[in-house]
Amino acid sequence: EVVLTQSPDFQSVTPKEKVTITCRASQSIGSSLHWYQQKPDQSPKLLIKYASQSFSGVPSRFSGSGSGTDFTLTINSLEAEDAATYYCHQSSSLPRTFGQGTKVEIK
Amino acid sequence: QVHLQESGPGLVKPSQTLSLTCTVSGGSISSDTYYWSWIRQHPGKALEWIGNIFYSGGAYYNPSILSLKSRVTISLDTSKNQFSLKLSSVTAADTAVYFCAREAGGSYPDYWGQGTLVTVSS
């Protein structure tokens, strides 16, 4: 299976700061990498599909990039409501897998 | 807009069968555009993809979750626009929040249910 490794595991950030989360795949997955935001006691919400395509209704401060094995989720000008855990997910091969998550805390 | 809602017991005794249903509204599970999946999350842990099913009834189960081997069944009820998860011989290790989700083109989950906590305890 494809193993997804996110870094960092935890990040404490000041509002309006830029946040960068990386996801590395154990083998090439093309652009079949998607990003989710999960707030406490909520289900995950899709932010970015296929590495860089924004999902409907997602604020423009969220963006994604990358291909192959290395991917990045960027949050420009962090807002307090962005406090959450972020997961990457691959759909290149079965079984589908998720990264271990990156928790973003607001200072 | 599509809406998914999990339902089922919140408490299951060890060795019994966990049964959850996901009711889909705002869209048909008979569509050939989507797959329907189950994902779980142990308390404080990452998301774990259990498997999915297509409208034709063909299901795939995650073979990498060794603890699920031969215990899991995902099925469809097109007459009720629902799909289900059954997990037999449960143990405390199956205590988790279970999510149902729609997968666009069998790729990424785009819409999720709110999740339901299932606790395995006597």
mmCIF file with all atom_site columns, all heavy atoms in Angstrom, chain A residues 4-23:
data_model
loop_
_atom_site.group_PDB
_atom_site.id
_atom_site.type_symbol
_atom_site.label_atom_id
_atom_site.label_alt_id
_atom_site.label_comp_id
_atom_site.label_asym_id
_atom_site.label_entity_id
_atom_site.label_seq_id
_atom_site.pdbx_PDB_ins_code
_atom_site.Cartn_x
_atom_site.Cartn_y
_atom_site.Cartn_z
_atom_site.occupancy
_atom_site.B_iso_or_equiv
_atom_site.pdbx_formal_charge
_atom_site.auth_seq_id
_atom_site.auth_comp_id
_atom_site.auth_asym_id
_atom_site.auth_atom_id
_atom_site.pdbx_PDB_model_num
ATOM 1   N N   . LEU A 1 4  ? 1.544  7.415  3.275  1.00 0.00 ? 4  LEU A N   1
ATOM 2   C CA  . LEU A 1 4  ? 1.623  8.873  3.221  1.00 0.00 ? 4  LEU A CA  1
ATOM 3   C C   . LEU A 1 4  ? 2.169  9.395  4.545  1.00 0.00 ? 4  LEU A C   1
ATOM 4   O O   . LEU A 1 4  ? 1.624  9.086  5.608  1.00 0.00 ? 4  LEU A O   1
ATOM 5   C CB  . LEU A 1 4  ? 0.240  9.473  2.955  1.00 0.00 ? 4  LEU A CB  1
ATOM 6   C CG  . LEU A 1 4  ? -0.430 9.073  1.642  1.00 0.00 ? 4  LEU A CG  1
ATOM 7   C CD1 . LEU A 1 4  ? -1.829 9.691  1.542  1.00 0.00 ? 4  LEU A CD1 1
ATOM 8   C CD2 . LEU A 1 4  ? 0.413  9.494  0.447  1.00 0.00 ? 4  LEU A CD2 1
ATOM 9   N N   . THR A 1 5  ? 3.226  10.196 4.470  1.00 0.00 ? 5  THR A N   1
ATOM 10  C CA  . THR A 1 5  ? 3.851  10.745 5.664  1.00 0.00 ? 5  THR A CA  1
ATOM 11  C C   . THR A 1 5  ? 3.760  12.263 5.628  1.00 0.00 ? 5  THR A C   1
ATOM 12  O O   . THR A 1 5  ? 4.288  12.904 4.722  1.00 0.00 ? 5  THR A O   1
ATOM 13  C CB  . THR A 1 5  ? 5.317  10.319 5.772  1.00 0.00 ? 5  THR A CB  1
ATOM 14  O OG1 . THR A 1 5  ? 5.403  8.882  5.734  1.00 0.00 ? 5  THR A OG1 1
ATOM 15  C CG2 . THR A 1 5  ? 5.935  10.820 7.059  1.00 0.00 ? 5  THR A CG2 1
ATOM 16  N N   . GLN A 1 6  ? 3.080  12.808 6.614  1.00 0.00 ? 6  GLN A N   1
ATOM 17  C CA  . GLN A 1 6  ? 2.906  14.255 6.682  1.00 0.00 ? 6  GLN A CA  1
ATOM 18  C C   . GLN A 1 6  ? 3.937  14.876 7.622  1.00 0.00 ? 6  GLN A C   1
ATOM 19  O O   . GLN A 1 6  ? 4.394  14.257 8.578  1.00 0.00 ? 6  GLN A O   1
ATOM 20  C CB  . GLN A 1 6  ? 1.505  14.609 7.190  1.00 0.00 ? 6  GLN A CB  1
ATOM 21  C CG  . GLN A 1 6  ? 0.394  14.212 6.250  1.00 0.00 ? 6  GLN A CG  1
ATOM 22  C CD  . GLN A 1 6  ? -0.982 14.598 6.771  1.00 0.00 ? 6  GLN A CD  1
ATOM 23  O OE1 . GLN A 1 6  ? -1.895 13.784 6.755  1.00 0.00 ? 6  GLN A OE1 1
ATOM 24  N NE2 . GLN A 1 6  ? -1.151 15.846 7.223  1.00 0.00 ? 6  GLN A NE2 1
ATOM 25  N N   . SER A 1 7  ? 4.274  16.118 7.353  1.00 0.00 ? 7  SER A N   1
ATOM 26  C CA  . SER A 1 7  ? 5.110  16.887 8.271  1.00 0.00 ? 7  SER A CA  1
ATOM 27  C C   . SER A 1 7  ? 4.722  18.356 8.224  1.00 0.00 ? 7  SER A C   1
ATOM 28  O O   . SER A 1 7  ? 4.332  18.867 7.168  1.00 0.00 ? 7  SER A O   1
ATOM 29  C CB  . SER A 1 7  ? 6.592  16.714 7.926  1.00 0.00 ? 7  SER A CB  1
ATOM 30  O OG  . SER A 1 7  ? 6.843  17.189 6.618  1.00 0.00 ? 7  SER A OG  1
ATOM 31  N N   . PRO A 1 8  ? 4.739  19.040 9.385  1.00 0.00 ? 8  PRO A N   1
ATOM 32  C CA  . PRO A 1 8  ? 5.007  18.440 10.698 1.00 0.00 ? 8  PRO A CA  1
ATOM 33  C C   . PRO A 1 8  ? 3.768  17.732 11.246 1.00 0.00 ? 8  PRO A C   1
ATOM 34  O O   . PRO A 1 8  ? 2.709  17.766 10.621 1.00 0.00 ? 8  PRO A O   1
ATOM 35  C CB  . PRO A 1 8  ? 5.346  19.672 11.533 1.00 0.00 ? 8  PRO A CB  1
ATOM 36  C CG  . PRO A 1 8  ? 4.456  20.742 10.961 1.00 0.00 ? 8  PRO A CG  1
ATOM 37  C CD  . PRO A 1 8  ? 4.424  20.475 9.472  1.00 0.00 ? 8  PRO A CD  1
ATOM 38  N N   . ASP A 1 9  ? 3.906  17.120 12.412 1.00 0.00 ? 9  ASP A N   1
ATOM 39  C CA  . ASP A 1 9  ? 2.746  16.518 13.074 1.00 0.00 ? 9  ASP A CA  1
ATOM 40  C C   . ASP A 1 9  ? 1.897  17.581 13.756 1.00 0.00 ? 9  ASP A C   1
ATOM 41  O O   . ASP A 1 9  ? 0.682  17.417 13.917 1.00 0.00 ? 9  ASP A O   1
ATOM 42  C CB  . ASP A 1 9  ? 3.212  15.517 14.134 1.00 0.00 ? 9  ASP A CB  1
ATOM 43  C CG  . ASP A 1 9  ? 3.837  14.280 13.532 1.00 0.00 ? 9  ASP A CG  1
ATOM 44  O OD1 . ASP A 1 9  ? 3.472  13.917 12.390 1.00 0.00 ? 9  ASP A OD1 1
ATOM 45  O OD2 . ASP A 1 9  ? 4.701  13.670 14.186 1.00 0.00 ? 9  ASP A OD2 1
ATOM 46  N N   . PHE A 1 10 ? 2.560  18.669 14.175 1.00 0.00 ? 10 PHE A N   1
ATOM 47  C CA  . PHE A 1 10 ? 1.883  19.728 14.927 1.00 0.00 ? 10 PHE A CA  1
ATOM 48  C C   . PHE A 1 10 ? 2.513  21.069 14.567 1.00 0.00 ? 10 PHE A C   1
ATOM 49  O O   . PHE A 1 10 ? 3.722  21.165 14.354 1.00 0.00 ? 10 PHE A O   1
ATOM 50  C CB  . PHE A 1 10 ? 2.031  19.474 16.435 1.00 0.00 ? 10 PHE A CB  1
ATOM 51  C CG  . PHE A 1 10 ? 1.457  20.555 17.301 1.00 0.00 ? 10 PHE A CG  1
ATOM 52  C CD1 . PHE A 1 10 ? 0.109  20.579 17.589 1.00 0.00 ? 10 PHE A CD1 1
ATOM 53  C CD2 . PHE A 1 10 ? 2.270  21.561 17.813 1.00 0.00 ? 10 PHE A CD2 1
ATOM 54  C CE1 . PHE A 1 10 ? -0.428 21.583 18.389 1.00 0.00 ? 10 PHE A CE1 1
ATOM 55  C CE2 . PHE A 1 10 ? 1.745  22.568 18.608 1.00 0.00 ? 10 PHE A CE2 1
ATOM 56  C CZ  . PHE A 1 10 ? 0.396  22.572 18.896 1.00 0.00 ? 10 PHE A CZ  1
ATOM 57  N N   . GLN A 1 11 ? 1.657  22.074 14.485 1.00 0.00 ? 11 GLN A N   1
ATOM 58  C CA  . GLN A 1 11 ? 2.162  23.408 14.183 1.00 0.00 ? 11 GLN A CA  1
ATOM 59  C C   . GLN A 1 11 ? 1.326  24.430 14.951 1.00 0.00 ? 11 GLN A C   1
ATOM 60  O O   . GLN A 1 11 ? 0.090  24.389 14.888 1.00 0.00 ? 11 GLN A O   1
ATOM 61  C CB  . GLN A 1 11 ? 2.077  23.661 12.672 1.00 0.00 ? 11 GLN A CB  1
ATOM 62  C CG  . GLN A 1 11 ? 2.945  24.781 12.165 1.00 0.00 ? 11 GLN A CG  1
ATOM 63  C CD  . GLN A 1 11 ? 3.117  24.768 10.648 1.00 0.00 ? 11 GLN A CD  1
ATOM 64  O OE1 . GLN A 1 11 ? 2.465  24.009 9.947  1.00 0.00 ? 11 GLN A OE1 1
ATOM 65  N NE2 . GLN A 1 11 ? 3.997  25.625 10.156 1.00 0.00 ? 11 GLN A NE2 1
ATOM 66  N N   . SER A 1 12 ? 2.004  25.328 15.659 1.00 0.00 ? 12 SER A N   1
ATOM 67  C CA  . SER A 1 12 ? 1.339  26.402 16.371 1.00 0.00 ? 12 SER A CA  1
ATOM 68  C C   . SER A 1 12 ? 1.620  27.698 15.623 1.00 0.00 ? 12 SER A C   1
ATOM 69  O O   . SER A 1 12 ? 2.788  28.067 15.454 1.00 0.00 ? 12 SER A O   1
ATOM 70  C CB  . SER A 1 12 ? 1.848  26.488 17.812 1.00 0.00 ? 12 SER A CB  1
ATOM 71  O OG  . SER A 1 12 ? 1.138  27.472 18.531 1.00 0.00 ? 12 SER A OG  1
ATOM 72  N N   . VAL A 1 13 ? 0.566  28.350 15.170 1.00 0.00 ? 13 VAL A N   1
ATOM 73  C CA  . VAL A 1 13 ? 0.719  29.454 14.228 1.00 0.00 ? 13 VAL A CA  1
ATOM 74  C C   . VAL A 1 13 ? -0.070 30.679 14.673 1.00 0.00 ? 13 VAL A C   1
ATOM 75  O O   . VAL A 1 13 ? -1.175 30.557 15.215 1.00 0.00 ? 13 VAL A O   1
ATOM 76  C CB  . VAL A 1 13 ? 0.240  29.016 12.825 1.00 0.00 ? 13 VAL A CB  1
ATOM 77  C CG1 . VAL A 1 13 ? 0.568  30.070 11.799 1.00 0.00 ? 13 VAL A CG1 1
ATOM 78  C CG2 . VAL A 1 13 ? 0.877  27.681 12.432 1.00 0.00 ? 13 VAL A CG2 1
ATOM 79  N N   . THR A 1 14 ? 0.482  31.842 14.386 1.00 0.00 ? 14 THR A N   1
ATOM 80  C CA  . THR A 1 14 ? -0.178 33.113 14.678 1.00 0.00 ? 14 THR A CA  1
ATOM 81  C C   . THR A 1 14 ? -1.144 33.456 13.543 1.00 0.00 ? 14 THR A C   1
ATOM 82  O O   . THR A 1 14 ? -0.822 33.188 12.374 1.00 0.00 ? 14 THR A O   1
ATOM 83  C CB  . THR A 1 14 ? 0.876  34.227 14.806 1.00 0.00 ? 14 THR A CB  1
ATOM 84  O OG1 . THR A 1 14 ? 1.825  33.863 15.817 1.00 0.00 ? 14 THR A OG1 1
ATOM 85  C CG2 . THR A 1 14 ? 0.243  35.557 15.163 1.00 0.00 ? 14 THR A CG2 1
ATOM 86  N N   . PRO A 1 15 ? -2.299 34.036 13.871 1.00 0.00 ? 15 PRO A N   1
ATOM 87  C CA  . PRO A 1 15 ? -3.213 34.473 12.799 1.00 0.00 ? 15 PRO A CA  1
ATOM 88  C C   . PRO A 1 15 ? -2.516 35.352 11.776 1.00 0.00 ? 15 PRO A C   1
ATOM 89  O O   . PRO A 1 15 ? -1.617 36.129 12.110 1.00 0.00 ? 15 PRO A O   1
ATOM 90  C CB  . PRO A 1 15 ? -4.297 35.246 13.557 1.00 0.00 ? 15 PRO A CB  1
ATOM 91  C CG  . PRO A 1 15 ? -4.318 34.594 14.894 1.00 0.00 ? 15 PRO A CG  1
ATOM 92  C CD  . PRO A 1 15 ? -2.894 34.227 15.198 1.00 0.00 ? 15 PRO A CD  1
ATOM 93  N N   . LYS A 1 16 ? -2.910 35.191 10.524 1.00 0.00 ? 16 LYS A N   1
ATOM 94  C CA  . LYS A 1 16 ? -2.388 35.902 9.357  1.00 0.00 ? 16 LYS A CA  1
ATOM 95  C C   . LYS A 1 16 ? -1.057 35.326 8.875  1.00 0.00 ? 16 LYS A C   1
ATOM 96  O O   . LYS A 1 16 ? -0.544 35.739 7.831  1.00 0.00 ? 16 LYS A O   1
ATOM 97  C CB  . LYS A 1 16 ? -2.260 37.409 9.603  1.00 0.00 ? 16 LYS A CB  1
ATOM 98  C CG  . LYS A 1 16 ? -3.582 38.100 9.879  1.00 0.00 ? 16 LYS A CG  1
ATOM 99  C CD  . LYS A 1 16 ? -3.430 39.615 9.943  1.00 0.00 ? 16 LYS A CD  1
ATOM 100 C CE  . LYS A 1 16 ? -4.788 40.267 10.195 1.00 0.00 ? 16 LYS A CE  1
ATOM 101 N NZ  . LYS A 1 16 ? -4.682 41.755 10.257 1.00 0.00 ? 16 LYS A NZ  1
ATOM 102 N N   . GLU A 1 17 ? -0.508 34.382 9.631  1.00 0.00 ? 17 GLU A N   1
ATOM 103 C CA  . GLU A 1 17 ? 0.732  33.736 9.215  1.00 0.00 ? 17 GLU A CA  1
ATOM 104 C C   . GLU A 1 17 ? 0.440  32.722 8.103  1.00 0.00 ? 17 GLU A C   1
ATOM 105 O O   . GLU A 1 17 ? -0.692 32.250 7.949  1.00 0.00 ? 17 GLU A O   1
ATOM 106 C CB  . GLU A 1 17 ? 1.370  33.038 10.417 1.00 0.00 ? 17 GLU A CB  1
ATOM 107 C CG  . GLU A 1 17 ? 2.828  32.682 10.259 1.00 0.00 ? 17 GLU A CG  1
ATOM 108 C CD  . GLU A 1 17 ? 3.416  32.135 11.549 1.00 0.00 ? 17 GLU A CD  1
ATOM 109 O OE1 . GLU A 1 17 ? 2.890  32.463 12.641 1.00 0.00 ? 17 GLU A OE1 1
ATOM 110 O OE2 . GLU A 1 17 ? 4.399  31.377 11.469 1.00 0.00 ? 17 GLU A OE2 1
ATOM 111 N N   . LYS A 1 18 ? 1.440  32.366 7.339  1.00 0.00 ? 18 LYS A N   1
ATOM 112 C CA  . LYS A 1 18 ? 1.317  31.359 6.286  1.00 0.00 ? 18 LYS A CA  1
ATOM 113 C C   . LYS A 1 18 ? 1.664  29.985 6.852  1.00 0.00 ? 18 LYS A C   1
ATOM 114 O O   . LYS A 1 18 ? 2.635  29.846 7.597  1.00 0.00 ? 18 LYS A O   1
ATOM 115 C CB  . LYS A 1 18 ? 2.249  31.701 5.128  1.00 0.00 ? 18 LYS A CB  1
ATOM 116 C CG  . LYS A 1 18 ? 2.237  30.723 3.960  1.00 0.00 ? 18 LYS A CG  1
ATOM 117 C CD  . LYS A 1 18 ? 3.208  31.214 2.890  1.00 0.00 ? 18 LYS A CD  1
ATOM 118 C CE  . LYS A 1 18 ? 3.333  30.260 1.735  1.00 0.00 ? 18 LYS A CE  1
ATOM 119 N NZ  . LYS A 1 18 ? 4.264  30.758 0.689  1.00 0.00 ? 18 LYS A NZ  1
ATOM 120 N N   . VAL A 1 19 ? 0.864  28.998 6.488  1.00 0.00 ? 19 VAL A N   1
ATOM 121 C CA  . VAL A 1 19 ? 1.076  27.631 6.956  1.00 0.00 ? 19 VAL A CA  1
ATOM 122 C C   . VAL A 1 19 ? 1.384  26.722 5.774  1.00 0.00 ? 19 VAL A C   1
ATOM 123 O O   . VAL A 1 19 ? 0.704  26.788 4.739  1.00 0.00 ? 19 VAL A O   1
ATOM 124 C CB  . VAL A 1 19 ? -0.174 27.097 7.688  1.00 0.00 ? 19 VAL A CB  1
ATOM 125 C CG1 . VAL A 1 19 ? -0.024 25.625 8.043  1.00 0.00 ? 19 VAL A CG1 1
ATOM 126 C CG2 . VAL A 1 19 ? -0.446 27.918 8.944  1.00 0.00 ? 19 VAL A CG2 1
ATOM 127 N N   . THR A 1 20 ? 2.398  25.877 5.931  1.00 0.00 ? 20 THR A N   1
ATOM 128 C CA  . THR A 1 20 ? 2.743  24.910 4.893  1.00 0.00 ? 20 THR A CA  1
ATOM 129 C C   . THR A 1 20 ? 2.820  23.527 5.504  1.00 0.00 ? 20 THR A C   1
ATOM 130 O O   . THR A 1 20 ? 3.539  23.306 6.485  1.00 0.00 ? 20 THR A O   1
ATOM 131 C CB  . THR A 1 20 ? 4.087  25.268 4.240  1.00 0.00 ? 20 THR A CB  1
ATOM 132 O OG1 . THR A 1 20 ? 3.993  26.566 3.647  1.00 0.00 ? 20 THR A OG1 1
ATOM 133 C CG2 . THR A 1 20 ? 4.443  24.256 3.159  1.00 0.00 ? 20 THR A CG2 1
ATOM 134 N N   . ILE A 1 21 ? 2.056  22.607 4.936  1.00 0.00 ? 21 ILE A N   1
ATOM 135 C CA  . ILE A 1 21 ? 2.042  21.217 5.376  1.00 0.00 ? 21 ILE A CA  1
ATOM 136 C C   . ILE A 1 21 ? 2.455  20.359 4.187  1.00 0.00 ? 21 ILE A C   1
ATOM 137 O O   . ILE A 1 21 ? 1.971  20.564 3.076  1.00 0.00 ? 21 ILE A O   1
ATOM 138 C CB  . ILE A 1 21 ? 0.632  20.805 5.846  1.00 0.00 ? 21 ILE A CB  1
ATOM 139 C CG1 . ILE A 1 21 ? 0.184  21.671 7.036  1.00 0.00 ? 21 ILE A CG1 1
ATOM 140 C CG2 . ILE A 1 21 ? 0.598  19.321 6.222  1.00 0.00 ? 21 ILE A CG2 1
ATOM 141 C CD1 . ILE A 1 21 ? -1.286 21.500 7.395  1.00 0.00 ? 21 ILE A CD1 1
ATOM 142 N N   . THR A 1 22 ? 3.345  19.414 4.435  1.00 0.00 ? 22 THR A N   1
ATOM 143 C CA  . THR A 1 22 ? 3.792  18.565 3.344  1.00 0.00 ? 22 THR A CA  1
ATOM 144 C C   . THR A 1 22 ? 3.305  17.127 3.546  1.00 0.00 ? 22 THR A C   1
ATOM 145 O O   . THR A 1 22 ? 3.066  16.683 4.671  1.00 0.00 ? 22 THR A O   1
ATOM 146 C CB  . THR A 1 22 ? 5.313  18.573 3.202  1.00 0.00 ? 22 THR A CB  1
ATOM 147 O OG1 . THR A 1 22 ? 5.885  17.994 4.386  1.00 0.00 ? 22 THR A OG1 1
ATOM 148 C CG2 . THR A 1 22 ? 5.833  19.984 3.039  1.00 0.00 ? 22 THR A CG2 1
ATOM 149 N N   . CYS A 1 23 ? 3.171  16.443 2.446  1.00 0.00 ? 23 CYS A N   1
ATOM 150 C CA  . CYS A 1 23 ? 2.752  15.042 2.427  1.00 0.00 ? 23 CYS A CA  1
ATOM 151 C C   . CYS A 1 23 ? 3.645  14.324 1.428  1.00 0.00 ? 23 CYS A C   1
ATOM 152 O O   . CYS A 1 23 ? 3.727  14.722 0.261  1.00 0.00 ? 23 CYS A O   1
ATOM 153 C CB  . CYS A 1 23 ? 1.281  14.957 2.018  1.00 0.00 ? 23 CYS A CB  1
ATOM 154 S SG  . CYS A 1 23 ? 0.614  13.279 1.897  1.00 0.00 ? 23 CYS A SG  1
#
